[in-house]
Amino acid sequence: MDFTPVKKSPNTWIIQPNMPDYNKTYESFSWEAIRAEFEGLPDGKGLNIAHEAVDRHANGPLCDRTAIRWLGKEGNVLDLSFKELKAGSNQFANLLCRSGVRKGERVFVMAGRIPELYIAAIGALKNISVFCPLFSAFGPEPVYQRLERGDARVLITRKKLYKQKIAGLRKRLPKLEYIFLTDTKEDEDDGVCSLSRHLAEMSTDFHIPPTDPEDMALLHFTSGTTGMPKGAIHVHNALLTHYMTGKYVLDLHPGDIFWCTADPGWVTGTSYGIFAPLVHGVTNIVDEADFDAERWYRILEKQKVNVWYTAPSAIRRLMRLDIKPLKQYNLKNLRIIHSVGEPLNPDAVVWGEKTLGLPIHDNWWQTETGGIMISNYMSMEIRPGSMGRPLPGIEAAIIHRAGNETVEVMEEPDIQGELALRPGWPSMFRGYLHEEERYKKSFVDGWYITGDLASCDKDGYFWFIGRADDIIKTSGHMVGPFEVESALTEHPAVAEAGVIGKPNPLIGELVKAFVSLKPGIIPDDKLRLELIGFARKKLGSAVAPKEIEFMKDLPKNNSGKIMRRLLKARESGPPEKAVRE
Ligand code: AMP
């Protein structure tokens, strides 16, 4: 495979990129200038994401443009124009108001990618309530942890998910007052209501109350390495980053058709699967179905997708198949492909160029940053394997810690260290809900410490090395080992568990658990399967371990902590003596 930089001369551009010269934009950039591109609420009453992303377009020349084209699993299609999205989200905001749901209270949605999710997200923001998406493949335990920690007051879900995952938790969630089901026509017992029935009673008019750009808007849970998941708080101002990255990274242009394959249960599926395309007034494709290579190529062709945002795990799956997309499908509308979430192999960039006719632009960010921070831009030479260069308005650095309170910035190129960002961009998280100490610990000496290890070359391109902690990335999703270990140790046969990410060529890392058993319990395949089933039932398929290995004793450090890194090193191959706890 040839890894030389993919060259693109300006005259091969079909449309002039929004950022033709990265260096110039970086030097002259200001967030104030981005803010000036927003309308703001009427009469100077602040900035609300829902107004900028939906109502502003619904009240103007884009009112009849398709805001969301929803592709159902069974082949059904639903188009929602900006006008219709405004009306539907107004009804939802009215429903919250009527239910007494107030500013700052949390509205959770766990429903898969269905139209109601988008209506609820926008409607919740109009009411200045907080939108919290939940991945529907989570099992009851991760769902409970998030609903409880997030003080859920309202939950929108589907009947089957409710019965499988929520019904049994109701007693443990006294704050959860309203549950609206998207697929029932009548209210049920126990405060479980039909969403469609109640929405139908609501007015399609709603006036967004004054919104401070610093009002809480979104709560995204992300996994920690030592504790249960943390709720990263984002505010209405985050939209500035969604808009700016939509412009300079995704390179959205008026009239574009955009498709982000991520689920809104994860931050990419919200920042880029909902807000960035809407605020740009482009059509956002939402596919309800899971990955299916033929279906995906058909969507790119039939929906005439111009800008496509996907993930390395999906790209690697496409690379394995004997499909010749350029011969079998008409992909002439596709202008740019982006990827995020895990390292994008250099050969994937080259594969994109050869197989799809376009290189793949990698970018980097995380739940806490709220939007893309480092990227390969349309107008820049791509270096396969690199995450790219910092966004205009973002200062990124490689640092070494000198004690707990000071950091040394590595000015020399190609030195490995921790990736840090200078705080202050609009979509930076404003806290971990109820966990001030955990939040404070993320900042050292004026830098936000990302938890990733990376290096920076002499031209300012950043290269990902790995996580500095034990967090697992499986199929692009973060899994906290502690959450999995806690679930496993609830099984009566388990004494202790240590959970790691085992390198896997397709999904990045696979969740693997090392388990020691209580005295007298015999390890065998039957028990292994039982434990896998037990964990799956509790945690759901997205989080549960795929492999379990029995060990007599788990390796521990002097203070008795399980040494996950030693387990990981054994699994990955490097000599054990190089690993310190
Ligand atoms: P999340 O908060 O779930 O979005 O995960 C964020 C983490 O995913 C980052 O801290 C990285 O460890 C990883 N990540 C995201 N984008 C990339 C990328 N382009 N290359 C390598 N790792 C990435």
Side-chain angles (χ1 to χ4, degrees):
M1 193 68 69
D2 175 11
F3 291 149
T4 48
V6 177
K7 290 228 165 53
K8 219 165 350 103
S9 68
N11 56 15
T12 64
W13 288 330
I14 307 158
I15 297 177
Q16 170 88 350
N18 289 325
M19 182 167 62
D21 186 328
Y22 168 80
N23 290 327
K24 253 194 187 158
T25 308
Y26 194 94
E27 275 157 31
S28 62
F29 181 83
S30 83
W31 287 109
E32 289 72 35
I34 294 292
R35 173 67 181 86
E37 291 188 50
F38 285 72
E39 188 175 78
L41 286 172
D43 306 324
K45 288 191 175 141
L47 180 98
N48 184 298
I49 294 179
H51 173 81
E52 302 298 331
V54 177
D55 289 11
R56 184 168 54 107
H57 303 308
N59 301 340
L62 291 180
C63 61
D64 291 319
R65 176 159 177 110
T66 302
I68 290 177
R69 168 161 292 180
W70 176 77
L71 310 174
K73 272 184 196 158
E74 315 300 338
N76 38 338
V77 176
L78 176 78
D79 281 350
L80 281 175
S81 67
F82 280 98
K83 212 162 65 187
E84 288 163 331
L85 192 53
K86 177 182 175 188
S89 54
N90 280 352
Q91 286 178 305
F92 188 79
N94 279 317
L95 178 59
L96 292 180
C97 254
R98 190 193 69 179
S99 310
V101 178
R102 293 183 305 264
K103 176 174 170 174
E105 292 190 313
R106 264 75 75 183
V107 176
F108 278 72
V109 181
M110 182 177 69
R113 293 178 294 278
I114 58 172
E116 290 86 344
L117 179 146
Y118 300 83
I119 286 169
I122 304 294
L125 295 173
K126 286 184 170 176
N127 192 45
I128 334 181
S129 304
V130 179
F131 171 60
C132 313
L134 274 189
F135 193 42
S136 51
F138 280 150
E141 199 47 39
V143 168
Y144 169 73
Q145 288 297 338
R146 287 156 178 82
L147 291 175
E148 201 272 331
R149 284 163 180 269
D151 310 312
R153 176 117 197 261
V154 181
L155 172 68
I156 312 298
T157 188
R158 303 163 90 152
K159 197 170 185 169
K160 191 169 160 205
L161 294 174
Y162 174 72
K163 294 235 155 17
Q164 279 176 349
K165 306 179 188 189
I166 315 287
L169 299 173
R170 289 294 295 281
K171 284 203 184 74
R172 293 164 71 201
L173 295 166
K175 290 184 188 153
L176 180 57
E177 213 173 321
Y178 299 103
I179 294 178
F180 291 102
L181 301 183
T182 57
D183 50 357
T184 52
K185 295 238 173 326
E186 296 303 325
D187 291 353
E188 303 188 1
D189 294 341
D190 208 14
V192 179
C193 303
S194 152
L195 182 66
S196 59
R197 186 175 155 210
H198 286 271
L199 280 185
E201 294 165 1
M202 296 296 124
S203 159
T204 53
D205 290 328
F206 183 83
H207 289 286
I208 300 178
T211 311
D212 188 318
E214 287 299 307
D215 280 339
M216 197 196 297
L218 309 163
L219 184 69
H220 280 293
F221 279 91
T222 179
S223 295
T225 178
T226 50
M228 284 300 179
K230 326 171 253 194
I233 296 169
H234 290 284
V235 297
H236 281 266
N237 224 8
L239 192 68
L240 268 66
T241 312
H242 304 154
Y243 171 76
M244 185 279 204
T245 48
K247 183 173 175 175
Y248 291 148
V249 181
L250 303 179
D251 202 46
L252 296 172
H253 281 68
D256 270 347
I257 311 282
F258 172 71
W259 182 28
C260 169
T261 60
D263 187 273
W266 307 96
V267 71
T268 305
T270 301
S271 296
Y272 297 99
I274 307 180
F275 302 123
L278 291 180
V279 73
H280 277 271
V282 304
T283 295
N284 188 24
I285 301 289
V286 173
D287 183 26
E288 187 193 17
D290 290 331
F291 176 88
D292 170 341
E294 302 273 359
R295 181 181 169 102
W296 278 28
Y297 284 129
R298 269 200 312 275
I299 290 175
L300 291 173
E301 175 184 85
K302 276 182 111 180
Q303 302 304 330
K304 301 186 169 53
V305 173
N306 307 111
V307 181
W308 187 32
Y309 196 10
T310 189
S313 288
I315 293 166
R316 285 192 292 267
R317 289 168 86 175
L318 292 175
M319 286 170 74
R320 288 189 159 202
L321 299 170
D322 187 24
I323 301 179
K324 307 222 165 6
L326 286 182
K327 283 211 175 110
Q328 293 167 244
Y329 301 88
N330 179 353
L331 303 182
K332 72 173 182 344
N333 292 291
L334 202 53
R335 202 173 69 239
I336 180 163
I337 308 173
H338 306 276
S339 162
V340 74
E342 23 166 354
L344 181 68
N345 337 20
D347 55 341
V349 180
V350 180
W351 172 85
E353 177 98 274
K354 287 197 178 135
T355 319
L356 302 171
L358 293 168
I360 297 168
H361 293 69
D362 188 19
N363 58 63
W364 176 96
W365 60 292
Q366 52 181 203
T367 305
E368 286 84 347
T369 70
I372 298 165
M373 295 283 110
I374 295 176
S375 179
N376 288 279
Y377 305 93
M378 186 75 165
S379 54
M380 227 172 63
E381 167 205 328
I382 291 182
R383 297 197 174 164
S386 162
M387 309 187 285
R389 296 172 74 184
L391 196 72
I394 297 298
E395 190 186 346
I398 301 298
I399 58 114
H400 284 176
R401 294 199 208 201
N404 281 341
E405 285 177 10
T406 48
V407 305
E408 187 192 347
V409 175
M410 299 293 107
E411 307 287 355
E412 289 284 301
D414 303 322
I415 296 185
Q416 300 190 0
E418 291 187 86
L419 175 60
L421 305 171
R422 190 71 88 182
W425 65 95
S427 66
M428 194 184 89
F429 72 130
R430 300 295 197 269
Y432 290 127
L433 193 70
H434 307 317
E435 296 191 89
E436 187 58 26
E437 274 313 303
R438 237 172 160 185
Y439 177 66
K440 278 194 196 144
K441 272 194 191 155
S442 316
F443 300 89
V444 181
D445 206 4
W447 291 90
Y448 164 63
I449 312 293
T450 66
D452 282 356
L453 301 173
S455 66
C456 179
D457 68 20
K458 66 178 179 15
D459 301 315
Y461 283 76
F462 283 78
W463 300 75
F464 182 80
I465 293 167
R467 286 289 305 178
D469 55 24
D470 297 332
I471 284 178
I472 301 161
K473 258 282 162 131
T474 179
S475 293
H477 302 151
M478 260 198 182
V479 172
F482 181 75
E483 220 176 335
V484 184
E485 290 161 1
S486 304
L488 280 169
T489 47
E490 281 177 36
H491 189 282
V494 174
E496 286 182 316
V499 170
I500 61 147
K502 173 180 170 178
N504 177 286
L506 195 58
I507 58 171
E509 288 183 322
L510 171 153
V511 181
K512 172 161 185 176
F514 293 86
V515 166
S516 67
L517 298 173
K518 290 197 176 140
I521 308 237
I522 313 285
D524 59 16
D525 282 345
K526 191 166 162 259
L527 181 58
R528 194 194 319 278
L529 284 180
E530 184 182 319
L531 289 180
I532 289 180
F534 175 81
R536 223 181 140 89
K537 212 166 153 206
K538 265 186 166 312
L539 299 168
S541 56
V543 182
K546 300 268 183 304
E547 277 185 24
I548 289 189
E549 185 173 324
F550 294 116
M551 270 184 142
K552 199 161 175 303
D553 295 300
L554 298 181
K556 307 231 180 74
N557 67 7
N558 291 342
S559 48
K561 209 170 128 206
I562 294 169
M563 294 172 76
R564 294 188 192 117
R565 271 181 280 170
L566 187 62
L567 293 169
K568 183 157 181 167
R570 280 185 188 159
E571 201 61 46
S572 320
E576 288 178 17
K577 66 176 185 309
V579 179
R580 283 174 304 160
E581 179 72 353

